[in-house]
């Protein structure tokens, strides 16, 4: 490789050299290097070593490497990217005045040029341009490259912002008493238009824009509007039409539909009034109300207030009604329970024509046996509108107003026959389930669960057997404190269903303890259950007895022996699952080790598989997290509930052999009972 020697000071970069200077420098350095090589033999060795030790250091580089290093040390500046557009129309401002058949004025276009050189900027199409000026100087507008008729462009050269002022005119179109003109759409982000009409008392309608300001003078009206930009802005105006409806005499027609529900104590009154204004404007409506009727409420979208005065109901509207209005009147009246009744009728006052009708319904056990209408015609209830149609019943009669003058006399008399209402069932026990645990000493622990449906009852009365002691009570799974009646019976609260809905089932549960006589080797034991003041549709009785005895039911009683089945009621099944109510399951006292003197069953042997410590630790952490979430949920859901000491829930200890008995249709205040025959089994008993 051929090297061009260049002497550079070590550590000091050389500034960029021009071509001639660099060539001269390289030639000088080459000559000096050649002289140094010629004189090198004449220099003593020790002198060379001495000079080398003093030299600060020199580097000899090829010229190509030098240029590469210089380019890296001083990289050239990158050229900026060209703008995405050459020029843009930033804003358009119109200032127009309507003169005869034209709207003329000025349009000021704000243009931003981003490119060096000539650029085209499109002018909004459809404008009749009479003159164009750029920064106060006249300029020419050229046709668009596309060649579209009426499309002009401005040609600009210098980059930056420029203001193009146009003197324009727009034709005005007239149609059916209205005048209008349209400003074309443009690519500008902001389009503002100020339009002045040389007269006042003008109504204007805009399309494609938003009204920002409106000012009126004795001689003109001016509007300032901002357009959307992507659609034309259309101005349409016409002279205000003076409304003399308020000065004209009122003429209206109306419809009044009335419904009366004849109850045992009071009669409900509802009326729907519809008004149709033919001439003028109605500020209020007046209805004649019979003296015995009490108005409770007037409701309607246009109703502002109402007032009863001198037998007239005055309904005031929010604004004068020029077309139609509707409102509903509700009230009540005291009428005889039965016999001949004169039905009070509402009348619409100041109406040229009144239509509508009246419907009378008997609430409760009764019917209308005779009718005496005057100025009314028989009609079907479905023809009187939703007010009556929604209340149809077999005992309803309906009448339509007879066509004619609004002052026509109308009256209605009906004869009501009432019947004694038969008492019906308001609450019922769909299913009763008993679990009884009997010890050899004759002690009895009873868990009674009832699936109840209720509409109106507040309490159910429960009479426990003589000597029984209540341990716990619950309603729908929640502990409760029963009351006590004067005869010592328990009063358990009940849930109520909403009016008009099917009563859902809910569970009522009690647990009580009752003493008894010791069991001998053989004998008979009478088992008496609680008496309820509600009928019971079906009853299931599961009796657990000591394993050393054989027990069977005495034939001929109200109970019969059957194979055990789960409760048919869902609320009792849910309770069984939560308490582990299967037959023969040892819980509570059995789990503690002793059930009425009998040893508990030994625990099951541990599984043969070896425990996994890592898995056990993971399960324990998961269980701890679950328990923490449960505690948090309980603390959140029980906030605000009644405080105080609540009774505990006693779990039933199901243990030993059992017998299942069933019975149906237990009447109210009847204590179901059965006789059990027992005999001690020397072989250990059986289930």
């Amino acid at each position: 490789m051929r090297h061009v020697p260049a002497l550079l000071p070590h550590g000091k970069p050389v500034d960029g050299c021009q071509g001639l200077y660099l060539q001269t420098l390289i030639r000088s350095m080459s000559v000096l290097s050649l002289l140094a090589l010629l004189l090198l033999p004449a220099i003593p060795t020790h002198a060379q070593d001495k000079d080398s030790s003093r030299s600060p250091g020199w580097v000899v580089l090829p010229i190509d490497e030098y240029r590469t290093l210089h380019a890296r040390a001083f990289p050239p500046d990158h050229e900026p990217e060209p703008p995405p557009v050459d020029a843009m129309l930033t804003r358009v401002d119109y200032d127009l005045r309507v003169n005869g058949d034209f709207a003329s004025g000025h349009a000021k276009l704000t243009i931003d040029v981003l490119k060096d050189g000539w650029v085209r900027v499109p002018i909004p199409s459809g404008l009749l341009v009479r003159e164009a000026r750029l920064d106060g100087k006249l300029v020419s507008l050229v046709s668009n490259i596309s060649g579209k008729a009426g499309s002009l462009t401005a040609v600009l050269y210098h980059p930056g912002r420029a203001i193009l002022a146009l003197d324009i005119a727009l034709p005005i179109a007239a149609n059916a008493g209205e005048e209008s003109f349209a400003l074309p759409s443009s690519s500008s982000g902001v389009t503002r238009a100020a339009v002045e009409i040389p007269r006042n008392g003008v109504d204007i309608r805009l399309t494609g824009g938003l009204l920002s300001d409106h000012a009126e003078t004795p001689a003109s009206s001016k509007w300032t509007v901002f357009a959307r930009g992507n659609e034309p802005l259309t101005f349409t105006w016409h002279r205000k039409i003076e409304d003399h409806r308020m000065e004209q005499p009122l003429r209206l027609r109306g419809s009044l539909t009335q419904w009366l529900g004849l109850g045992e104590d009071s009669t409900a009154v509802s009326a729907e009034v519809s008004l149709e204004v033919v001439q003028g404007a109605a500020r209020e409506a007046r209805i004649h109300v019979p003296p015995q009727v009490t108005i409770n409420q007037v409701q309607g979208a246009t109703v502002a207030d109402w007032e009863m005065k001198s037998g007239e109901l005055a309904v005031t509207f929010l604004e004068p009604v020029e077309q139609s209005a509707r409102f509903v009147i509700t009230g009540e009246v005291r009428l005889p329970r039965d016999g001949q009744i004169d039905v009070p009728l509402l009348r619409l006052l100041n109406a040229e024509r009144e239509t509508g009708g009246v419907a009378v319904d008997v609430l409760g056990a009764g019917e209308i046996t005779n009718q005496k209408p005057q100025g009314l015609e028989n009609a079907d209830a479905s023809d009187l509108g939703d007010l009556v149609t929604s209340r149809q019943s077999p005992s309803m009669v309906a009448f339509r107003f007879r066509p004619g003058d609004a002052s026509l006399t109308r009256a209605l008399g009906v004869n009501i026959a009432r019947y004694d209402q038969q008492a019906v069932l308001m609450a019922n026990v769909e299913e009763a389930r008993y679990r009884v645990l009997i010890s050899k000493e004759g002690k009895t622990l009873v868990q009674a669960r009832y699936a109840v449906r209720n509409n109106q009852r507040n309490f159910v009365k429960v009479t426990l057997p003589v000597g029984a002691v209540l341990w716990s009570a619950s309603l729908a799974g929640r502990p409760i404190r029963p009351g006590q009646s004067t005869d010592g019976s328990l009063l358990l609260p009940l849930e109520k269903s909403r009016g008009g809905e099917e009563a859902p089932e809910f569970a009522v549960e009690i647990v009580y303890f009752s003493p008894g006589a010791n069991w001998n080797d053989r004998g008979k034991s009478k088992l008496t259950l609680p008496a309820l003041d509600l009928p019971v549709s079906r009853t299931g009785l599961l009796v657990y007895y000591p394993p050393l005895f054989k027990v069977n039911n005495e034939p001929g009683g109200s109970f019969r022996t059957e194979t055990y089945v789960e409760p048919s009621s869902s609320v009792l099944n849910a309770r069984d699952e939560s308490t582990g109510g299967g037959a023969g399951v040892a819980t509570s006292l059995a789990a503690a080790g002793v059930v009425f003197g009998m040893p508990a069953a030994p625990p099951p042997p541990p599984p043969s598989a070896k425990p996994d410590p890592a898995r056990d630790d993971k399960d324990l952490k998961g269980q701890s997290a679950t328990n923490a979430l449960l505690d948090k949920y309980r603390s959140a859901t029980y906030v605000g509930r009644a405080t105080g000491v609540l009774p505990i829930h006693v779990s039933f200890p199901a243990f030993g052999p059992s017998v299942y008995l069933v019975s149906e249709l237990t009447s109210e205040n009847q204590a179901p009972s059965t006789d059990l025959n027992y005999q001690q089994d020397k072989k250990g008993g059986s289930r």
Side-chain angles (χ1 to χ4, degrees), residues 437 445 471 579 585-595 600 649-654:
L437 181 62
L445 182 65
W471 279 14
T579 58
V585 180
T587 58
S588 191
L589 297 177
V594 177
V595 177
H649 179 267
V650 178
S651 299
F652 183 81

Side-chain angles (χ1 to χ4, degrees), residues 259-261 266-271 292-298 328-333 346:
W259 173 86
L260 293 94
S266 64
T267 298
V269 179
S270 296
Q292 65 269 36
V293 177
T294 302
I295 302 300
N296 296 330
Q297 186 61 270
V298 179
V328 177
I329 304 171
T330 57
E332 60 181 352
V333 60
L346 306 183

Side-chain angles (χ1 to χ4, degrees), residues 369-571:
T369 59
N370 191 17
Q371 312 159 19
K372 293 182 179 180
Q374 183 180 359
L376 304 172
E377 296 178 350
N378 290 330
D380 189 81
S382 59
D383 297 335
L384 299 183
D386 295 337
L387 179 69
V388 178
T389 304
S390 60
R391 295 180 170 92
Q392 282 196 46
S393 70
S395 60
M396 179 184 292
V397 294
F399 302 90
R400 183 186 297 109
F401 293 162
R402 183 174 298 171
D405 190 2
S407 60
L408 182 67
T409 302
R410 297 190 184 100
L412 177 61
V414 294
N415 193 353
I416 305 298
R418 292 283 181 179
Y419 309 107
D420 295 334
Q421 293 186 357
Q422 182 66 31
V424 294
L425 196 62
M426 295 300 176
N428 181 50
V429 178
E430 298 289 329
E431 185 176 9
R433 280 297 179 111
Y434 299 94
R435 291 197 294 177
V436 181
L437 181 62
I438 304 176
S439 69
K440 182 180 179 182
E441 293 79 13
K443 299 176 182 179
T444 305
L445 182 65
V446 181
Q447 179 194 50
R449 294 175 296 128
Y450 306 100
V452 184
R453 291 183 186 272
N454 178 46
N455 280 335
Q456 293 185 355
R457 291 283 296 270
N458 295 323
F459 298 93
V460 57
K461 182 179 178 181
V462 181
T463 304
L464 299 179
V466 179
V469 179
L470 181 68
W471 279 14
S472 69
S474 65
L475 171 64
R478 300 185 302 271
I480 57 174
R481 296 177 180 176
Q484 188 173 15
S485 63
T486 56
D487 59 356
S489 301
L490 301 177
L491 296 177
L492 302 179
L494 298 177
E495 292 184 348
K496 290 184 180 181
S497 63
R498 296 182 179 179
E501 295 182 359
E502 178 67 20
E505 288 185 350
F506 58 90
V508 177
E509 177 183 328
I510 60 173
V511 178
Y512 66 90
F513 174 80
S514 178
N518 292 336
W519 281 19
N520 300 321
D521 294 343
R522 175 183 297 182
K524 180 183 294 187
S525 176
K526 186 177 182 60
L527 178 60
T528 303
L529 299 174
L532 281 68
D533 63 346
L534 293 177
V536 181
S537 299
R538 54 186 178 274
T539 303
L541 172 61
L542 185 61
V543 181
Y544 296 91
Y545 54 86
L548 297 180
F549 287 85
K550 289 184 178 180
V551 175
N552 57 65
N553 183 43
E554 180 74 17
S558 58
F559 285 90
R560 65 184 183 276
T561 305
E562 286 189 2
T563 305
Y564 178 80
V565 293
E566 296 293 334
S568 59
S569 174
S570 60
V571 295

Side-chain angles (χ1 to χ4, degrees), residues 38-210:
L38 294 175
L39 297 176
L40 184 61
I43 300 175
T45 304
H46 64 275
Q48 294 179 6
D49 296 339
K50 185 176 181 179
D51 292 341
S52 301
S53 61
R54 297 179 194 175
S55 174
W58 298 86
V59 177
V60 179
L61 293 175
I63 188 62
D64 294 337
E65 293 184 8
Y66 165 74
R67 290 174 178 172
T68 301
L69 292 176
H70 185 274
R72 291 183 179 180
F74 302 98
D77 295 335
H78 293 286
E79 293 293 333
E81 296 182 358
V85 294
D86 297 340
M88 64 180 69
L89 183 59
T90 306
R91 182 184 177 98
V92 179
D93 292 278
Y94 295 99
D95 190 1
L96 304 174
R97 179 180 175 84
V98 175
N99 293 315
D101 296 335
F102 289 91
S104 58
H106 302 280
K108 185 171 66 174
L109 281 63
T110 303
I111 302 172
D112 289 322
V113 180
L114 307 179
K115 176 186 175 182
D116 290 330
W118 295 100
V119 295
R120 288 175 175 266
V121 180
I123 305 300
S125 61
L127 295 178
L128 178 58
V129 181
R130 298 184 293 191
E131 186 180 75
R133 291 180 178 270
L134 181 64
D135 296 334
K137 299 179 180 179
L138 290 173
V139 295
S140 298
L141 302 179
V142 298
S143 299
N144 199 346
I145 299 177
S146 61
K148 183 178 179 181
S151 179
L152 301 176
T153 60
V155 181
L156 304 178
Y157 178 75
H158 296 288
R161 172 162 291 188
I163 305 298
L164 180 63
L166 306 177
D167 187 0
I168 63 174
L170 294 169
I172 295 177
N175 184 20
E178 292 184 341
E179 296 177 299
S180 64
F181 71 89
L183 293 175
S185 60
S186 65
S187 60
S188 170
V190 179
T191 301
R192 172 185 170 276
V195 179
E196 182 179 359
I197 300 177
R199 61 175 180 265
N200 56 8
V202 175
D203 286 334
I204 193 168
R205 185 176 71 253
L206 298 174
T207 303
L210 177 65

